[in-house]
Amino acid sequence: NPASLVQIMLHLGEMVTATQSVNEETLQLLAAELDYNLLVVSPEEEDRELLETFDIEFGEDEGDESDLVARPPVVTVMGHVDHGKTKLLDAIRNTNEVAREAGGITQHIGAYQIATEHEGEDRKITFIDTPGHEAFTAMRARGAKVTDIAVLVVAADDGVKPQTIEALNHAQAADVPIVVAVNKVDKEGADPNKVRAQLTEYGLVAEEYGGTTMFVDISAKNGIGIENLLEAILLTADAELDLRANATMDAQGVAIEAHLDKGRGPVATVLVQRGTLRVGDSIVCGEAFGRVRAMLDDNGEAIQEADPSRPVLVLGLTAVPGAGDNFIVVTDDRMARQIAQQRAARKRIADMARSGRRRTLEELFSEMEKGQVDELKLIIKGDVSGSVEALEDALLKIDVGDEVRLRVLHRAVGAITEYDVNLAVADDNAVIIGFNVRPEVRARDLAEREGVDIRYYSVIYQAIEEIEAALKGMLKPEF
Ligand code: GDP
């Protein structure tokens, strides 16, 4: 039990309380003492296990070899700042303008798909529309493998720069083939061959130099060489990758971008990696879940289904997922909710373990703003029962709509005790309100150690004002 563990820790020279979060090192120490094998599992591993309890395997194409169909490559554009990544992404989109249906309006949803012709066949390519390797690494750090091919943009008048090397390191570490776009060839002083020479040092040897990397000279500004670049991407994909997916299974993929839309609620751009996503599907995306109410493509057109490598904007989630969160279609809403809730619970524990402290009221509000928490939990302590009840009544009457609510976990007369603090700790996000009372010394110390937020008031309206203002603040969606 906790008490004996605390004793053992004391013997080991560690002063801890039963409710205190301990770091991994301390846990290892404890495990060694008790002759336990402590296995620290990665979040990805843990999530895989969680999904397995629901009989879901993420990242695996199910079915037979015969179910696999070719899917378009997914491309990320990387390179040094100002070398033309954004311009190139715009240029690629624009050359494809004709392919867009009349009436469509370009929507920046974080990714787009274009149609092109390659060796007499109709082909598609998906581009991640957030340039730079920040997005790439952020997603990779979360275990999401999104990119099939990296386009490394290098300005011909500037040559290889620190971020060029950084970008290619990231791509090589992820084992992603690179196509080099030598940009700004229209500029005076442009020296495309110098770029080729410079990059040989980093293992990128151009085909014309006897290597295997495709280099394409382009001008994103003048739209020169764009078709050649698309050609090179498809040639590289066909030569080095076997891009196929099962389009018949329940859809799986990754969230690329998400935000809270004033009118539409949480919206997320997801990239379907396998299976086919349909309107009406029950999905889980990170800790968000819901039913796909509608899907929009990058032209703002409503679509009914999305096949592998297709990016779509999904409406109908309960919360805003994070970039790099995986999404899966499950059999029903109940399962979706269960998975999302279990993930949220695990994340809370992991966060606690990591930070070793709880959140303050301010941090909590900012988190609620992001739509992750919908409840503000309070523990109210006061000097006389009349004031405690009055305060509770008043606080519960605060009406800020359905999106956030207030819950009183416990209220009592008397000083703030260790019990109150422990309760706040156990119920992670709870905040303690002290009305004309102070905490006991040990309670104060514990609260400090655990990072529990205690607020003191001596006037009721002040407490109401502050809580109400905060609750209202949480309603404002952040863009
Ligand atoms: P990013 O920081 O890599 O996204 O670079 P941008 O796409 O914002 O481009 C940086 C600057 O270079 C902008 O002023 C562009 O207009 C300019 N630029 C981009 N591509 C070309 C090009 O092919 N030729 C010329 N002359 N300028 C370009």
Side-chain angles (χ1 to χ4, degrees):
N1 69 8
S4 57
L5 287 183
V6 169
Q7 248 178 2
I8 294 169
M9 291 310 297
L10 209 58
H11 281 303
L12 293 170
E14 296 261 348
M15 281 282 283
V16 295
T17 64
T19 50
Q20 191 181 337
S21 313
V22 292
N23 60 22
E24 198 182 312
E25 211 176 304
T26 313
L27 279 176
Q28 293 286 8
L29 208 65
L30 187 61
E33 181 70 16
L34 295 173
D35 233 359
Y36 275 115
N37 240 334
L38 187 69
L39 195 69
V40 179
V41 282
S42 68
E44 292 86 49
E45 186 81 22
E46 210 182 359
D47 199 55
R48 193 159 29 243
E49 279 170 17
L50 168 67
L51 292 180
E52 265 169 25
T53 64
F54 290 91
D55 226 8
I56 297 166
E57 215 168 337
F58 181 80
E60 298 291 325
D61 283 285
E62 286 155 19
D64 299 328
E65 182 75 13
S66 60
D67 290 328
L68 299 179
V69 292
R71 65 167 180 85
V74 179
V75 177
T76 301
V77 174
M78 307 205 278
H80 196 72
V81 65
D82 276 347
H83 278 197
K85 300 179 291 292
T86 311
K87 202 85 179 165
L88 174 60
L89 281 162
D90 288 345
I92 292 169
R93 245 193 119 120
N94 291 338
T95 53
N96 216 241
E97 202 94 42
V98 274
R100 188 176 308 150
E101 281 172 42
I105 304 159
T106 300
Q107 301 282 309
H108 280 277
I109 64 168
Y112 62 78
Q113 198 174 61
I114 57 129
T116 185
E117 203 173 286
H118 179 66
E119 290 166 356
E121 271 180 64
D122 286 335
R123 298 282 296 266
K124 287 173 180 163
I125 306 173
T126 300
F127 287 89
I128 305 292
D129 199 359
T130 40
H133 47 274
E134 296 81 8
F136 181 81
T137 28
M139 283 196 239
R140 216 161 73 77
R142 307 187 66 162
K145 190 176 186 304
V146 174
T147 307
D148 298 311
I149 291 177
V151 167
L152 184 64
V153 179
V154 189
D157 63 332
D158 204 22
V160 171
K161 291 279 157 190
Q163 281 173 290
T164 313
I165 296 158
E166 224 177 273
L168 79 88
N169 282 340
H170 283 302
Q172 284 171 342
D175 216 7
V176 170
I178 296 169
V179 172
V180 182
V182 183
N183 192 29
K184 306 197 187 184
V185 293
D186 61 286
K187 271 184 112 172
E188 211 166 297
D191 190 350
N193 285 328
K194 189 171 158 209
V195 173
R196 284 170 175 73
Q198 284 179 322
L199 282 176
T200 49
E201 271 180 57
Y202 301 93
L204 293 182
V205 183
E207 283 190 325
E208 53 270 45
Y209 287 29
T212 54
T213 304
M214 301 203 66
F215 280 66
V216 185
D217 292 344
I218 64 162
S219 164
K221 189 179 165 196
N222 299 342
I224 295 165
I226 305 299
E227 291 298 334
N228 296 341
L229 180 62
L230 300 181
E231 188 85 11
I233 290 168
L234 290 171
L235 283 169
T236 303
D238 293 348
E240 299 193 31
L241 306 164
D242 178 27
L243 299 177
R244 294 188 297 164
N246 180 348
T248 61
M249 60 186 276
D250 282 343
Q252 296 187 344
V254 170
I256 292 167
E257 219 177 79
H259 69 276
L260 193 58
D261 185 285
K262 217 171 210 145
R264 302 186 283 201
V267 295
T269 298
V270 302
L271 176 73
V272 178
Q273 294 182 301
R274 60 201 74 85
T276 299
L277 183 62
R278 294 187 177 83
V279 170
D281 281 346
S282 297
I283 73 168
V284 197
C285 189
E287 290 156 48
F289 65 97
R291 189 177 292 202
V292 180
R293 194 168 72 226
M295 292 194 289
L296 300 175
D297 68 8
D298 45 272
N299 297 322
E301 317 253 359
I303 55 171
Q304 290 303 310
E305 44 177 59
D307 53 353
S309 294
R310 185 101 187 250
V312 281
L313 193 72
V314 166
L315 277 59
L317 287 171
T318 51
V320 180
D325 278 347
N326 65 33
F327 88 81
I328 37 181
V329 167
V330 297
T331 44
D332 54 39
D333 293 356
R334 217 177 113 243
M335 189 189 275
R337 176 192 293 269
Q338 280 176 349
I339 294 172
Q341 284 174 345
Q342 288 192 30
R343 275 180 176 166
R346 283 175 191 219
K347 179 159 176 293
R348 267 205 301 278
I349 293 166
D351 283 351
M352 254 195 270
R354 199 168 34 247
S355 65
R357 56 185 286 278
R358 312 251 119 48
R359 275 155 281 191
T360 63
L361 200 50
E362 276 83 9
E363 288 171 312
L364 189 62
F365 290 151
S366 81
E367 222 175 290
M368 289 168 126
E369 256 175 0
K370 286 185 230 135
Q372 287 163 344
V373 182
D374 56 1
E375 215 175 41
L376 176 59
K377 294 169 204 150
L378 296 179
I379 293 164
I380 304 174
K381 294 300 290 273
D383 53 348
V384 290
S385 63
S387 63
V388 171
E389 273 156 33
L391 183 58
E392 184 184 16
D393 280 352
L395 289 177
L396 288 175
K397 277 201 192 100
I398 298 175
D399 185 8
V400 287
D402 292 330
E403 288 163 64
V404 285
R405 63 193 187 119
L406 207 132
R407 192 152 68 93
V408 177
L409 293 178
H410 173 65
R411 54 168 155 45
V413 173
I416 296 160
T417 63
E418 273 182 294
Y419 171 83
D420 299 319
V421 177
N422 278 325
L423 190 63
V425 170
D427 219 312
D428 199 15
N429 299 321
V431 171
I432 300 175
I433 305 266
F435 190 72
N436 281 327
V437 291
R438 312 293 302 177
E440 291 171 2
V441 175
R442 276 160 58 196
R444 194 196 58 209
D445 291 347
L446 183 62
E448 216 153 77
R449 247 193 340 266
E450 298 285 357
V452 169
D453 199 9
I454 305 181
R455 298 273 161 149
Y456 306 101
Y457 303 97
S458 51
V459 193
I460 285 192
Y461 81 77
Q462 216 170 17
I464 295 167
E465 239 175 40
E466 206 174 305
I467 299 285
E468 180 168 24
L471 284 167
K472 275 190 181 142
M474 298 176 338
L475 288 172
K476 273 196 245 102
E478 267 200 355
F479 291 95

